[in-house]
Amino acid sequence: MDFFYPILYGMFGAVTGSFLNVCILRIPEGENFVTGRSHCPACKRQLNPLDMVPILSFLFLGGKCRSCGERISIQYPLVEAGTALLFFLCCQAKGPGAEAVIMCLFGSLLTVGALIDARHMYIPDGISLSILVLAAGSLMIAPRPGLAGRIAGAVICGGFLALLRVLTKGGIGLGDAKLMASSGLLLGVGAGMAALLAAYILAGLWCLIPLIRRRVNGRTRIPMAPFFALSLIAFGLWYREIMAWYMGLFLS
């Protein structure tokens, strides 16, 4: 594939990542993330356009505020670069069309939900609701998976976590169940279930060393949205390729 469109997607992804940073910081505080002017968190000075060029502004300013010299969080360029890579991969995997746009929007919503969960231990309902709307809209664009598979994905993925929440007496967050239900409606039952399993495997591997060192225990709260986000994006883009590779391990 010609790299023109993937690179174009990546550039737009970097700009989108700048907006996602605003959402990540303002949504938990109840601030307006659409119309409010961007400002330095330390000195509150409003930023000018040259201070908000994705990735480049952070590098040119040496990671510090132009006005007060306070260090700028590394989150800003990382989210911008990560979203650029996400959009690039979406275009590479799906081609420069509607399906790629759907996955770009899906990945953006997951990014916001993942980082808010990592910081504040909750997933805003607006994230799951937006994915639900995206899933409904995608039915008119992407014929696969079919409606039955999508409904099964929502019921099984969301219902499984809801059941675990009951069995563990609140050990599973309700936001996790909502996120996986809406994501299952978008990706379908196959990719949704695979992503759910993969997320818990990733979380288990992530916690393995702290568990051995007794830094976590059965009562430690673990934000699952980052693991859900990684697995949902991976299986949303390469479900067939991953499953073919997995099956090949046993058939070869």
Side-chain angles (χ1 to χ4, degrees), residues 181-200:
S182 58
S183 298
L185 186 65
L186 177 64
L187 299 183
V189 63
M193 290 177 62
L196 179 61
L197 176 60
Y200 276 96

Side-chain angles (χ1 to χ4, degrees), residues 38-138:
S38 296
H39 58 270
C40 170
C43 66
K44 308 301 180 184
R45 183 185 72 89
Q46 289 188 351
L47 304 182
N48 61 52
L50 291 178
D51 294 331
M52 296 185 291
V53 179
I55 305 171
L56 297 180
S57 289
F58 181 89
L59 296 176
F60 290 151
L61 293 173
K64 297 180 180 179
C65 173
R66 185 192 302 273
S67 179
C68 67
E70 186 72 19
R71 284 199 170 277
I72 302 171
S73 172
I74 192 66
Q75 172 190 304
Y76 290 94
L78 287 181
V79 170
E80 291 163 355
T83 310
L85 177 61
L86 168 68
F87 279 36
F88 179 90
L89 292 175
C90 287
C91 185
Q92 280 282 84
K94 299 296 185 180
E99 289 189 56
V101 172
I102 290 171
M103 287 305 302
C104 287
L105 293 172
F106 182 47
S108 297
L109 291 166
L110 290 174
T111 299
V112 175
L115 290 179
I116 290 178
D117 192 32
R119 282 186 165 208
H120 303 281
M121 296 299 297
Y122 86 102
I123 305 171
D125 286 342
I127 299 296
S128 299
L129 180 60
S130 296
I131 294 175
L132 191 65
V133 173
L134 182 63
S138 72

Side-chain angles (χ1 to χ4, degrees), residues 202-220:
L202 288 174
L205 293 174
W206 178 268
C207 295
L208 184 59
I209 293 178
L211 185 62
I212 293 173
R213 295 180 177 180
R214 297 183 179 180
R215 293 181 179 178
V216 299
N217 54 48
R219 291 178 292 180
T220 303

